[in-house]
């Protein structure tokens, strides 16, 4: 079974802090994704990566950056956390082939105070 | 633009059949996925359609009509554990492109 592991289930940070969310997958997937999920808004794509050191902006990249130094690890960085970044963050990975599904981690519920 | 529409909430009775609809207006089409998400948990993959017709997997089936921009997920013999959100997602271009997700349908199964 594919395993996508997010480093924290719950995280509380303060406004202005730099926040790192880590995601690791164990199935040698090329693609990795970061989403945020908010009530009434569904899943929104922040960034994705299809290879080491490659990144593409999603629908809502403002205020975020990402890092992919190794194939199995994809990090989401909140450069200066703000209260409107309080959300559930979900990481996913998939193979390159378009018929392959994305596999999701359990999510990190991030609260910015 | 891209738009994926699903009903926000549905309620159905244990043992019954329920159909969750998804309509999409996207610039292109290269496959549609259905996911199940229990409250507080990760979405899990249910089904994939790229050609017109019905795909059956046990109690769950998914149908696609590309000409109508329409899909549905059919759940038979409903169980309480089927209470969850169901997400429809479309790949709107060929190649390695991200999915576009609908906002999900929250299904409540009652006794």
């Amino acid at each position: 079974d594919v395993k996508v592991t997010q480093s924290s289930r719950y995280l509380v940070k303060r406004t202005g802090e730099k926040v790192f969310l880590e995601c690791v997958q164990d199935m040698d997937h090329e693609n990795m994704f970061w989403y945020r999920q908010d009530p009434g808004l569904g899943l929104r794509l922040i960034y994705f990566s299809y290879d080491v050191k490659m990144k593409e902006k999603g629908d809502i990249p403002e205020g975020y950056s990402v890092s992919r130094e190794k194939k199995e690890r994809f990090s989401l960085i909140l450069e200066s956390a703000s209260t409107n970044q309080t959300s559930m963050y979900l990481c996913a990975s998939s193979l390159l082939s378009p018929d392959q599904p994305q596999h999701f981690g359990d999510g990190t519920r991030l609260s910015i105070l | 633009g891209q738009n994926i529409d699903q009903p926000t909430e549905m309620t159905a009775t244990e043992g019954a059949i329920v159909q969750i609809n998804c309509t999409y207006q996207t610039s292109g089409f290269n496959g549609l996925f259905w996911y199940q998400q229990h409250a507080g948990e990760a979405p899990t993959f249910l089904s994939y359609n790229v050609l017109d017709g019905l795909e059956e997997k046990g109690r769950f089936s998914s149908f696609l009509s590309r000409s109508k921009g329409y899909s549905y997920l059919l759940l038979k013999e409903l169980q309480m554990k089927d209470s969850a959100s169901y997400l429809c997602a479309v790949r709107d271009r060929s190649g390695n492109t991200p999915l576009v997700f609908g906002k999900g349908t929250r299904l409540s199964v009652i006794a």
Side-chain angles (χ1 to χ4, degrees), chain A residues 22-87:
Chain A
E22 306 287 347
C23 175
V24 177
Q25 50 94 3
D26 66 356
M27 283 302 291
D28 205 33
H29 284 173
E30 294 88 357
N31 292 331
M32 295 190 76
F33 307 85
W34 274 108
Y35 295 89
R36 62 179 284 176
Q37 188 173 34
D38 301 287
L41 297 178
L43 278 168
R44 293 182 291 166
L45 182 65
I46 304 171
Y47 269 97
F48 68 101
S49 167
Y50 54 88
D51 201 355
V52 175
K53 297 194 185 296
M54 304 302 290
K55 61 183 179 183
E56 297 282 346
K57 292 181 180 178
D59 301 315
I60 51 164
E62 297 79 15
Y64 303 94
S65 62
V66 290
S67 172
R68 192 158 180 209
E69 296 296 318
K70 293 185 177 181
K71 189 175 185 179
E72 67 269 20
R73 185 180 296 270
F74 193 35
S75 303
L76 180 69
I77 303 150
L78 286 65
E79 298 290 345
S80 178
S82 64
T83 55
N84 63 10
Q85 292 177 310
T86 291
S87 186

Side-chain angles (χ1 to χ4, degrees), chain B residues 3-61:
Chain B
N3 194 40
I4 298 177
D5 286 318
Q6 307 178 234
T8 305
E9 292 188 37
M10 297 182 72
T11 301
T13 305
E14 194 176 16
I17 299 172
V18 72
Q19 178 174 312
I20 302 174
N21 295 325
C22 171
T23 58
Y24 60 91
Q25 299 90 36
T26 54
S27 53
F29 180 81
N30 192 29
L32 185 145
F33 294 80
W34 282 97
Y35 285 84
Q36 180 190 59
Q37 186 178 22
H38 285 101
E41 297 183 13
T44 55
F45 168 70
L46 286 177
S47 69
Y48 170 71
N49 296 73
V50 68
L51 299 176
D52 291 351
L54 189 68
E55 295 281 340
E56 296 188 75
K57 256 189 198 180
R59 293 190 298 117
F60 293 7
S61 304

Side-chain angles (χ1 to χ4, degrees), chain B residues 94-107:
Chain B
S94 60
N96 186 36
T97 56
L99 298 175
V100 180
F101 281 85
K103 294 179 182 178
T105 299
R106 187 162 62 239
L107 173 67

